[in-house]
Every structure is written in structure tokens, then in C-alpha cells.
Amino acid sequence: MRIEVGRAMDRQANITQYFEKILASLTEVGEQAEFFSRLQSIAAEIKHLESFTRQSQQSLNQHIDEYRQQINLFSDLITFQDETLQFQSADQVQSAIFGYLNANMTFDHILICLEGNDHHFLTDSPDMKDLYQDFLHVNNGRSVLMEAARLIDQAEILSMEEVSAPTAALSWDLLDAGSAILFPLKIRNDLWGFGLLTRQRPLFETTHSAFINLALNWISLLLYEHYREDTPSGGTAKHPDILADVKYADYFEKGPLYIYTLDRNGVILYANSSGVDDNPVIPNDAIGEKFTSFLPPDHRPGLEKILLDLQDGEFQSYQCPLVAQNGNVRVWKLFINCQPLKDNYSMKTVFALDTTAEYYQESLAVRNEIMDQVSQFSRVMTAYLNNLLTVMVPNVSLMKNRLPDTHELQKHLLPMEKALGQTGSLVKKFLNYNLADVDEQQRKIDLNKLIDGLVTRFQVKYPTNFEFRVDTDPAIPALPVFPKRITQLLKILLQNSLEALKGKSDGVISFATRLVNVDKNNTLLHDQFVLSRGHYIELLVEDNGSGIATAAQPHVFKPFYSNKIKNEGLGLGLYVAYNIVKDMRGEIFLKSEVDTFTRFYIYLPVKMAEKSKSTKLAPPLKNGHAKKAQAILVIDDEYSIRSVLQEVLEMQGFTVYSAANGREGVDLFQANSGQIDLVLLDMVMPEMDGKTAFKAIREIKPEQKFIIMSGYSKQEDILEISGNGNAPPFMGKPFQIKEILKEIQAILH
């Protein structure tokens, strides 16, 4: 028994020693594994360092290689231009030009007309020549387009919906054109042809005209070289006297394009002379800087994404504002191209074009369209309110006149009549430039003298608070205008300046005038104001007051908007100012910086008097005796207005006919034209409006007398229906009974 126990103990001791050896071995293995793990870590770090060193060397080589490659790229571009000029066939030139345009944009029709032959033009659709010939012949289309091209230096988009005369008279429907691009062909500023592209939908955008402008000089040179002016069929005649001094390298280096070559990180490696020398945005030490650093912060991510995602051979465009070194804002259109290089590397080239004028032109069009819609809506709503007043005012007046003065209701009718009169006055002010009365005759005034007189009156009112400065141009001609309106415009702007200067001890208000000659369409004034070709009087009203925040500036011309500026209490001031300027066919612009200045620039076309007419009303005859009218025709779509007028007029002894719309009124007049002496005509009606009814009745009886009634139409609308003759009398709704009776008696005397 003892022997078995001893053996068992020996076996246990052996097992224990065995497990200790196993544990010792495992410990050695763990230490070796840790050692090998450390060796592997060190090896990985060495490998990473080797990779980093290799990548750094490759990056350095890449920068050198990219710089060398971009030099070769521009050399290739110049070589391409030279090779193109060596074409021996005019057909090759024509095919190359049409191919370039087709590759970059979509269009329905293309024409290139060259000076020297009125019956020849270039096109890529020979089967359409008869159609194109008709388009160029009808309404002298070829000469009209040639003259329009003479006034521009770059491609310009023509909208068929609001194309300006004289191109409006062209037969665009023959081409089924929704929009068109016109581009001039000039050599040393001498026009010798033009190109025209059209399409129905979608409309052309500035991107398309920018593509054409990139190669416009190239197209002009190619065509001039291969198409002699006296050989419209084309040929190989050259013009070395014209082209001998053309330096294509200089064109790319110092031309209108800003060209930048970027590495894969967006760093500028190269820029042409135009891109850095005297560049308004990017300084001459920009090499080595990231291109996106010159963009506003909110535009950087967008362009960086384009640069990152751009594929080899791909073109992308991007438009953004940039702040010039003088503080002004410029708008650039960027065309970014990616070109493959060796060893799977690529180079990005940015072609930048300054499109500031086009941008502000589009912004002005959008602003004017929005304001026109706001004005239209406001006038329509006011017209509805006016119709309600037109019903209430004469009814209250009728009740007041028919009841005895001692009747107990008189004490209620009197304040009602007064309140309705005040409401009607407010409505009239909204419709009539915030003036109580716009019945005035247009006459010539000296704008400078008007400003001097207004400033003198305000200096008396504010003798020490502010300093007034006046700098007017004595060469400004007298303007045919409506004096009350132009005076109201000046008062509004002056009142805004006074409000902005409250609490300021060194306030200054300045007025300045000068003549401005705009010789090209879409000329940019003061870096952001776009005007069409013509002569203008510039009126500047400036103060050094509180200024207007940038976020508020797009809204200041809207009705009922008020910020820190006093808009006649209801927010109507600058809205009224805008409408006065637009009715004078002018433009108004705003520039302002908070706590620094506010400037209103107004441009009035000098020739606007040729488009305006007098608003003089037919004067009443004096020393006459009232003659009873046989009949009066009332045409108004509001039953309540017709019924009140019929009751009032019949009380005065008139025979009254009434019609609910223009069509019914014309039919009623035609059946009773011999008995009707006077027509009271509303302007805004269904089925047939007042303008159409007026013309139809005058065709039946040219000498027919009218009184126009409307709470919506402006004086210019009344002048339009009267043609070259005297405008008929106008009664703005709502009106008092005594007012309409007085006008009727004056006409029928």
C-alpha cells in the first residue's frame, strides 16, 4: 500500500515538472513572438519611410513634369492655330469652325454672313439655304443683323420674347427660334461679317456665348484669311498685310483669357500674363498659391469638388464672384479642363473669362421682372380695394345728399364720408406716385435748377444739422418730364438721406449730375450698373449716414418694405421712386455700406421725351351754359357702380344706358350711336377691356366724347388709347358724386 502511494506521488511530481517545462517553453515562445513583432513593426516603419521618401521624390518629379507638360500644351495650342491657318481649302475652314461649335453646344440653325455679297452665306445645312435666304431677305434681315453686330464686340444672346428693336421685326418664326446668339466677325475692330445661331428650346445661356467668345478672334481670322471679301464663294487667297503681325503666342499670353495651370492639389504652377499682370482679382505673386484661395469661402468647396472629380479630357464650367483688389466684385466664368500626362498623372487648366457685365445684366433683368410682378400684383389688389370704395363712396354721398341736414343719420354719414375720402386718397397715392393729383402737363425743366431749389428749401428747414453739396453739370439739357413726379423722386431720396443721418453731427448730403454716353450695349458703369446703348443723364444722391445692410439692399424697392430708412411711413417711398424712374424709361441703382455711405444712381435717357406725351386734360369751356345731354352710356363691369351712376345721372335728368363689359357696351353704342352724347368707360373689364372698347367706339363715331374711369390704369395708358390726339378726361376711382357731375357738365357745355 505504501509502495503504491509512493509511486503515485512520484508520478505527480513528474507531471508537475512536465507542466513547468511546458510553461517555460511557452514563455520563451511568447518572448520570441514579441521580439519578432517588434522587428515587424520596425520593418513596417522603415517601409513607410521608404514609401514616403519615394512619394516625395515622385511629387517633386511630378511638379517639374507638369510644368514642362503645360508649356508643351500651350505650344501645341499655338501650333494647332498655325496649322489651321495653313488650310488650303475654304471648305476645311468652314468644316472646322462648324465642328468646333457643334462639339460645344447644341443649336438648330447656324448662319455666317460675310460682307461683300448680299446673297451668300455659310451654313452646315445646304438643304436649308432657301429658308435662310428668306429669313435674311424679309424685313431687310441681313442689314439689320449686320448693323446690330457692328454695335457689339462679343457674342450676345438675343431673347425672342423681349428682343429689342430693330431686330424685333425679323422673321424669327421662319427659324422657329426661341433664342439666338449673334456674334460679330471683326478684324482690327472693323466689322466684315456676323454669325447667327438659333434654337427653340432650351434657351441659350451665357455659357454658350462664352464658348463662342473663347474662339471668336480665331474664327474671325480664319474666315478672313480663307474668304476674300470680293470672292463670296471662297478661295485660298491670303491677306499677309493683315495677318503678318498677328502673334498667336501673344494672343494666348496677353489676350482676354486668364489661363492658369494647376497641379493635382489645385496649386497654381503657371499663369499667362493676363492672369496675373494687372489682373483685378489675382495678384502677380499668385504662383505657388492654391487657386481656390482667391475665391470667396462659400464657393471654395464647389470648385474643389470639380477639380477633384474632373476626368481626363473633360470640361466643366463654374461661375462665381470674386472680390477684386480694389474692393469691387467681379464675376468670372471658369472653364476647367483636365489633360492626361504620362505615368497616370494629369494637369488641370483653368480658362477664366470676366463675365461681370453679363452677370449684372441678368441680375438687373431678374430684379426688374420681380418688381414688375410686385407692382402688377399691388396695383391689382389696390384696384379691388378701389372698386369697393367706388361702391361705398357714391352711396354714402348719395344718402347724405338725399337726407335732410337735420336727420339724425347725418352725424354718422359725415365721419363715414370723411373716412372713405381718406382711404380713397391713400389708394390714389399708391396708384399715382404718392401724389394727391397727377393731372399735369409734361414740360421741359432744368434738372439742375430743380435740385438747387429743393436744396435751398431744405437748407432753410435744416439750417445747421447737415451740409448740402451740389455738383451739377451745366451741359445737361432741359428734360421734358412731369414736374410733380421728378420733384417727388428727389424728395423721396432726400428724405431717405435725412432719415439715415439722424443722430449724426457731420452729416453730408450730396447731389451730382452729369451726361453719360453709352456707346455699346450692356456697358458696365461703376463696376455693376448695366445700361443699354444711348445718352443718359446720371443723377447721384449720396449721404454718409447709417447705410443699408447688404442683405436688405435687394428689397428696398419693394412696397411696404422699411428697414432703417423712412419710406413715407408705409414703406412706399423707394417703391414709388422705382416706379417714377421706370415710367421715365430710366434705371435706378443702389450702392451702400453700413455706417459709411448710401448712393442712389439714376439714369434718365435724354431722348425719352420723344416717347412721352402730354397728360393735359381737356379744359372745360368757360362762359358756357349747360346743355342737357340726351343720353349717357355707362360701361363698367361692377353692377353696384353702374346702378349708383344710373340713379345719380337720372336724378340729374339724363337718359342712361348701361353695359356690363366692353363687348356689350360697343354693341349698345352701335345700336344707339345717334342718341349717346357721352360714354363713361371703365378700363379693366372682362370679355373686352376698356382700351379695345374705346377704339371700337371711335371707329363707329370718331368725335365721340368719353370720360375714362379706372382705379387701376395710369395716365400713360390713357395717352396710349388716344393716339396722337388729346387724351380724354380721366376720373380716378373712387370719386365723389359732385366730382363726376362737375366733369360731365364741363364736357357737355
Side-chain angles (χ1 to χ4, degrees):
M1 184 68 179
R2 289 180 179 175
I3 295 175
E4 291 178 357
V5 171
R7 289 177 179 175
M9 293 178 62
D10 290 339
R11 285 197 300 269
Q12 184 176 1
N14 291 336
I15 292 172
T16 301
Q17 292 175 358
Y18 177 74
F19 276 107
E20 287 177 350
K21 289 181 180 180
I22 291 176
L23 290 174
S25 299
L26 291 174
T27 301
E28 292 177 0
V29 170
E31 291 175 351
Q32 291 175 1
E34 182 180 359
F35 174 73
F36 282 114
S37 175
R38 290 180 180 178
L39 286 178
Q40 290 174 350
S41 177
I42 293 173
E45 291 179 1
I46 293 174
K47 186 176 181 180
H48 179 72
L49 180 61
E50 180 185 3
S51 175
F52 177 79
T53 304
R54 187 184 302 110
Q55 289 178 0
S56 299
Q57 184 63 40
Q58 288 176 347
S59 178
L60 179 61
N61 292 337
Q62 176 191 351
H63 284 288
I64 296 174
D65 189 55
E66 287 180 347
Y67 183 78
R68 184 187 304 113
Q69 291 297 330
Q70 61 86 23
I71 294 294
N72 293 336
L73 175 63
F74 286 113
S75 176
D76 292 343
L77 289 173
I78 295 170
T79 301
F80 173 72
Q81 298 291 327
D82 290 337
E83 289 176 351
T84 308
L85 286 173
Q86 300 306 316
F87 281 161
Q88 297 300 310
S89 167
D91 291 338
Q92 287 180 300
V93 172
Q94 178 179 333
S95 177
I97 293 173
F98 290 155
Y100 170 80
L101 295 176
N102 269 302
N104 289 289
M105 58 193 302
T106 303
F107 49 84
D108 298 333
H109 303 285
I110 181 170
L111 294 170
I112 294 180
C113 297
L114 307 179
E115 196 173 49
N117 191 313
D118 291 340
H119 302 286
H120 180 74
F121 53 86
L122 307 179
T123 179
D124 64 345
S125 303
D127 55 329
M128 303 292 286
K129 281 192 173 183
D130 291 341
L131 176 65
Y132 296 159
Q133 190 65 53
D134 291 342
F135 171 76
L136 294 172
H137 176 72
V138 175
N139 295 327
N140 203 20
R142 186 187 186 105
S143 299
V144 170
L145 289 170
M146 188 72 77
E147 185 59 30
R150 198 180 308 278
L151 302 176
I152 58 178
D153 293 324
Q154 292 186 324
E156 189 171 290
I157 297 175
L158 302 177
S159 171
M160 300 302 101
E161 297 175 356
E162 46 182 310
V163 63
S164 59
T167 53
L170 300 184
S171 300
W172 298 108
D173 55 322
L174 290 177
L175 305 181
D176 199 19
S179 66
I181 293 180
L182 177 69
F183 57 91
L185 301 174
K186 294 185 177 182
I187 296 294
R188 291 182 174 177
N189 294 323
D190 291 330
L191 182 78
W192 74 286
F194 68 85
L196 181 72
L197 295 92
T198 72
R199 73 182 188 189
Q200 184 181 25
R201 287 290 186 273
L203 302 182
F204 285 122
E205 300 175 356
T206 54
T207 303
H208 303 110
S209 59
F211 266 118
I212 295 176
N213 289 329
L214 286 174
L216 185 56
N217 287 346
W218 166 60
I219 293 174
S220 299
L221 288 170
L222 285 177
L223 290 172
Y224 192 86
E225 183 187 20
H226 288 273
Y227 286 87
R228 291 172 51 182
E229 296 157 292
D230 56 351
T231 311
S233 60
T236 58
K238 309 293 182 181
H239 296 270
D241 56 325
I242 294 292
L243 300 175
D245 59 348
V246 175
K247 308 296 183 182
Y248 293 97
D250 288 346
Y251 172 77
F252 279 100
E253 188 67 19
K254 302 176 182 179
L257 282 177
Y258 308 140
I259 304 175
Y260 305 92
T261 302
L262 315 181
D263 67 8
R264 64 179 181 179
N265 297 315
V267 175
I268 301 176
L269 299 177
Y270 169 85
N272 66 344
S273 296
S274 298
V276 291
D277 295 344
D278 298 323
N279 189 295
V281 176
I282 297 182
N284 54 15
D285 58 352
I287 305 299
E289 300 289 338
K290 290 196 70 172
F291 183 82
T292 54
S293 66
F294 298 102
L295 272 63
D298 56 331
H299 281 269
R300 293 171 189 171
L303 184 58
E304 288 173 350
K305 187 176 188 307
I306 290 177
L307 292 172
L308 180 64
D309 298 341
L310 199 64
Q311 301 297 313
D312 289 347
E314 187 180 3
F315 249 111
Q316 289 283 354
S317 63
Y318 188 78
Q319 180 171 286
C320 67
L322 297 96
V323 179
Q325 299 176 53
N326 62 1
N328 293 322
V329 176
R330 310 297 297 179
V331 180
W332 281 14
K333 189 78 173 182
L334 308 178
F335 300 91
I336 308 102
N337 174 245
C338 185
Q339 289 292 335
L341 303 175
K342 66 180 182 180
D343 298 330
N344 295 323
Y345 289 108
S346 60
M347 175 186 69
K348 296 178 176 64
T349 305
V350 177
F351 299 88
L353 196 64
D354 192 320
T355 58
T356 307
E358 291 81 359
Y359 171 80
Y360 282 114
Q361 179 190 11
E362 293 179 358
S363 299
L364 178 63
V366 170
R367 184 201 75 171
N368 288 346
E369 181 180 1
I370 292 174
M371 286 300 302
D372 289 345
Q373 292 174 353
V374 169
S375 296
Q376 178 74 3
F377 175 78
S378 300
R379 289 182 179 276
V380 169
M381 294 304 296
T382 306
Y384 282 121
L385 176 60
N386 222 3
N387 286 336
L388 296 176
L389 289 172
T390 304
V391 174
M392 298 175 65
V393 169
N395 274 288
V396 171
S397 179
L398 182 61
M399 291 174 61
K400 182 174 177 294
N401 291 332
R402 297 190 67 172
L403 291 174
D405 293 341
T406 57
H407 197 284
E408 62 178 6
L409 290 179
Q410 288 287 3
K411 63 181 180 181
H412 301 293
L413 293 174
L414 183 61
M416 288 176 61
E417 186 178 45
K418 183 178 180 181
L420 289 172
Q422 292 173 341
T423 306
S425 177
L426 178 62
V427 170
K428 283 185 177 181
K429 285 185 177 182
F430 188 88
L431 295 174
N432 298 333
Y433 314 104
N434 208 11
L435 294 169
D437 183 13
V438 291
D439 292 342
E440 59 175 332
Q441 184 175 1
Q442 187 187 71
R443 59 185 177 87
K444 287 189 175 182
I445 66 167
D446 187 326
L447 182 59
N448 293 339
K449 288 184 178 180
L450 185 63
I451 292 172
D452 290 337
L454 187 64
V455 168
T456 300
R457 291 195 296 273
F458 270 79
Q459 282 177 325
V460 173
K461 190 174 182 179
Y462 303 95
T464 59
N465 301 54
F466 311 108
E467 178 186 354
F468 290 90
R469 298 175 183 173
V470 178
D471 181 16
T472 54
D473 184 353
I476 288 178
L479 278 176
V481 295
F482 299 102
K484 291 181 182 179
R485 301 183 197 180
I486 192 71
T487 302
Q488 179 75 341
L489 171 65
L490 294 173
K491 285 182 178 179
I492 290 171
L493 298 180
L494 183 52
Q495 186 62 49
N496 279 301
S497 292
L498 292 173
E499 186 69 19
L501 291 171
K502 279 187 175 179
K504 194 176 182 69
S505 59
D506 57 346
V508 177
I509 300 176
S510 301
F511 287 86
T513 61
R514 67 171 180 139
L515 278 174
V516 175
N517 180 27
V518 178
D519 56 1
K520 297 178 182 178
N521 282 330
N522 305 324
T523 296
L524 202 63
L525 299 178
H526 302 286
D527 297 301
Q528 66 183 67
F529 306 152
V530 179
L531 291 176
S532 300
R533 183 170 177 263
H535 300 279
Y536 297 85
I537 290 179
E538 179 188 80
L539 168 62
L540 169 62
V541 181
E542 178 180 2
D543 66 70
N544 62 341
S546 57
I548 304 173
T550 302
Q553 291 181 24
H555 308 288
V556 297
F557 294 115
K558 296 177 181 178
F560 307 113
Y561 179 84
S562 179
N563 190 18
K564 290 184 179 180
I565 300 177
K566 180 182 179 183
N567 284 332
E568 297 297 319
L570 294 175
L572 292 178
L574 292 178
Y575 169 75
V576 170
Y578 172 86
N579 279 283
I580 291 175
V581 173
K582 294 303 292 183
D583 287 344
M584 297 169 72
R585 294 164 174 79
E587 294 289 352
I588 181 170
F589 301 98
L590 166 67
K591 267 189 146 182
S592 185
E593 292 183 10
V594 174
D595 297 327
T596 306
F597 69 86
T598 295
R599 299 181 189 131
F600 286 98
Y601 293 86
I602 296 167
Y603 295 90
L604 303 177
V606 174
K607 295 183 179 180
M608 65 182 179
E610 298 177 6
K611 302 179 182 179
S612 302
K613 299 174 184 176
S614 172
T615 58
K616 184 177 181 180
L617 301 180
L621 297 176
K622 297 183 179 180
N623 300 322
H625 298 283
K627 180 178 69 175
K628 180 181 177 181
Q630 293 179 348
I632 296 177
L633 171 59
V634 179
I635 307 177
D636 198 302
D637 61 323
E638 291 288 339
Y639 170 77
S640 53
I641 297 175
R642 295 197 311 273
S643 62
V644 169
L645 286 174
Q646 183 168 355
E647 183 177 356
V648 170
L649 293 174
E650 287 178 347
M651 288 174 58
Q652 298 295 316
F654 296 109
T655 300
V656 180
Y657 297 89
S658 65
N661 57 66
R663 172 65 62 191
E664 184 179 329
V666 172
D667 293 341
L668 195 57
F669 182 85
Q670 190 165 22
N672 302 276
S673 59
Q675 289 76 40
I676 295 175
D677 297 286
L678 179 64
V679 177
L680 305 184
L681 178 63
D682 186 29
M683 282 286 97
V684 182
M685 296 181 293
E687 291 195 39
M688 180 187 288
D689 61 17
K691 292 182 183 179
T692 307
F694 178 90
K695 294 177 181 178
I697 292 175
R698 277 283 171 90
E699 288 180 0
I700 299 171
K701 188 178 178 181
E703 71 277 10
Q704 180 58 49
K705 298 177 180 179
F706 285 86
I707 293 179
I708 304 300
M709 307 180 301
S710 181
Y712 174 72
S713 298
K714 297 183 294 183
Q715 285 290 323
E716 283 77 4
D717 299 325
I718 312 305
L719 292 171
E720 180 183 342
I721 66 173
S722 63
N724 295 323
N726 291 329
F730 174 78
M731 292 294 297
K733 295 180 179 178
F735 45 76
Q736 298 285 347
I737 293 297
K738 59 184 179 181
E739 295 175 351
I740 190 73
L741 291 176
K742 181 180 179 181
E743 193 66 50
I744 290 173
Q745 290 182 2
I747 293 174
L748 296 179
H749 264 70

